[in-house]
Amino acid sequence: MPPQQISQDLNFPDNTAAGALFGDLNKNLHIIEESSGVKINARGNSLNISGVRHDVEMAAELLNQIYDLIGKGYPVYSSDFAFGLRILGSSPKARLDKIFLDKVYVTTQNRIISPKTTNQKLYIDAIRNNDIVFGIGPAGTGKTYLAVAMAVSALVSGQVKSIILTRPAVEAGEKLGFLPGDLAQKVNPYLRPLHDALYDMLGPEKSLDLVEQGVIEVAPLAFMRGRTLSNAFIILDEAQNTTREQMKMFLTRIGFDSRAVITGDITQVDLPIKKNSGLLEARNILKRIDGITFCTFSKADVVRHPLVQKIIQAYETSQN
């Protein structure tokens, strides 16, 4: 029996909000059509949605919720429509305002950083409520970016006095020793993604000033040995490339009034074959300790270019 086809009419009386909802040349409506398979006809501030019942109801719920968000002052982005459909597709009763309105930080370009998936919201809440949080999942799920946003927010609000960003300098198919320059120049490419996140949030000038003052430190993991890191927000990125010993060393650096976020993708381990990932071992050893929380992301949480989600799916399929 073919799925039931229905048609539903919607009306949005606020002209300004309706314009933001539909997007330039109805761009946002086209995104919904492509993502959900429905057909949307717009006339003035009114819409007619037609298609399979489930898809029509989900599209209508999305439009109504985002219209309400706009009325609350939310600066809607075109990408929010695809994110919203994913959320409602997995949790039909989800409230998008509980996720999208959770303002983590506002960048120098006045862009609001907020969670875009249910798992990202859980991750943000876990960081707020725990001293040590592990974020594990594939590339593009916002693990590191949101952690840096939380760190910058904590620094600006005076919750911590410094930010420490670190990652292991592990060769990923290229020999580090053959790169030109001194040690700092050799490892800088490994730390570049962390610098990029800081520049995006604080602007290059302020970021560099804070680095020069020692308020923000971006350094290879090896530089953490022997230190006690107090009153700091510490992020260990690419943690899948730590050894057991490195992970233990990092976790035991944490001092009073500090919190730590450890991020990694266990499907992209670049360690030598005989070396076990410290991230995998930590997940098994520490999972029952109060105050330590593990957050897991999936391909459904990818917030980069839509093709990234398809690429991850293709690689997962090829391994089965």
Side-chain angles (χ1 to χ4, degrees):
M1 183 176 179
Q4 183 182 7
Q5 302 280 321
I6 67 166
S7 176
Q8 184 171 343
D9 293 319
L10 298 176
N11 183 59
F12 304 99
D14 186 315
N15 290 333
T16 302
L21 182 68
F22 296 2
D24 293 337
L25 302 176
N26 293 338
K27 177 182 179 180
N28 299 333
L29 303 182
H30 296 322
I31 291 173
I32 296 174
E33 288 180 320
E34 293 172 3
S35 300
S36 67
V38 301
K39 179 65 177 176
I40 303 177
N41 290 313
R43 179 175 296 177
N45 289 0
S46 298
L47 298 176
N48 175 266
I49 311 172
S50 58
V52 175
R53 173 181 289 277
H54 172 268
D55 298 334
V56 169
E57 292 175 346
M58 186 167 64
E61 180 67 17
L62 173 72
L63 286 161
N64 282 323
Q65 288 204 40
I66 292 186
Y67 179 74
D68 290 341
L69 281 169
I70 295 170
K72 295 176 181 178
Y74 178 75
V76 67
Y77 303 101
S78 294
S79 57
D80 290 333
F81 291 84
F83 298 149
L85 282 173
R86 285 191 217 167
I87 294 170
L88 294 174
S90 58
S91 303
K93 295 183 179 180
R95 294 298 308 169
L96 299 182
D97 56 352
K98 301 295 184 184
I99 300 173
F100 290 174
L101 290 182
D102 187 350
K103 187 186 299 182
V104 176
Y105 188 72
V106 180
T107 71
T108 52
Q109 292 81 30
N110 289 322
R111 185 171 61 83
I112 296 175
I113 298 174
S114 63
K116 299 299 182 183
T117 71
T118 301
N119 282 334
Q120 285 191 353
K121 170 61 174 171
L122 293 173
Y123 181 55
I124 291 299
D125 288 341
I127 295 173
R128 289 181 175 132
N129 298 319
N130 295 271
D131 289 335
I132 298 177
V133 174
F134 286 79
I136 302 174
T141 51
K143 307 180 301 295
T144 302
Y145 192 80
L146 286 174
V148 174
M150 288 293 289
V152 171
S153 177
L155 179 68
V156 171
S157 63
Q159 297 175 45
V160 297
K161 291 184 178 179
S162 64
I163 296 174
I164 298 171
L165 309 176
T166 185
R167 64 192 309 192
V170 174
E171 299 168 0
E174 300 176 50
K175 294 300 182 182
L176 188 61
F178 287 101
L179 294 173
D182 58 20
L183 177 61
Q185 291 170 322
K186 289 176 186 291
V187 300
N188 186 60
Y190 291 89
L191 304 174
R192 188 72 210 184
L194 299 173
H195 283 289
D196 289 344
L198 286 174
Y199 293 170
D200 191 33
M201 294 169 203
L202 295 169
E205 186 175 340
K206 187 172 182 180
S207 295
L208 291 172
D209 285 344
L210 291 173
V211 169
E212 289 179 1
Q213 295 168 25
V215 176
I216 296 178
E217 181 180 351
V218 186
L221 179 59
F223 289 17
M224 299 297 110
R225 189 174 297 278
R227 301 176 61 185
T228 299
L229 309 173
S230 299
N231 208 347
F233 197 117
I234 314 153
I235 299 173
L236 171 58
D237 191 31
E238 297 289 329
Q240 76 275 6
N241 288 328
T242 61
T243 62
R244 176 191 177 100
E245 295 76 17
Q246 287 175 319
M247 179 61 76
K248 181 181 177 183
M249 179 274 290
F250 172 79
L251 292 171
T252 54
R253 298 308 92 203
I254 299 168
F256 289 107
D257 299 318
S258 286
R259 66 183 76 174
V261 179
I262 299 95
T263 68
D265 178 359
I266 56 177
T267 68
Q268 296 193 44
V269 178
D270 299 315
L271 292 169
I273 294 176
K274 294 183 179 180
K275 288 283 188 179
N276 293 326
S277 170
L279 179 59
L280 282 168
E281 292 202 350
R283 185 174 63 174
N284 295 329
I285 294 170
L286 306 176
K287 60 186 177 183
R288 292 185 176 87
I289 297 180
D290 290 338
I292 299 179
T293 297
F294 288 82
C295 298
T296 303
F297 298 88
S298 71
K299 61 180 179 292
D301 298 299
V302 172
V303 291
R304 289 181 183 170
H305 192 287
L307 281 176
V308 174
Q309 191 177 31
K310 296 179 181 178
I311 290 168
I312 293 171
Q313 176 65 51
Y315 273 96
E316 288 180 354
T317 303
S318 71
Q319 293 174 348
N320 298 330

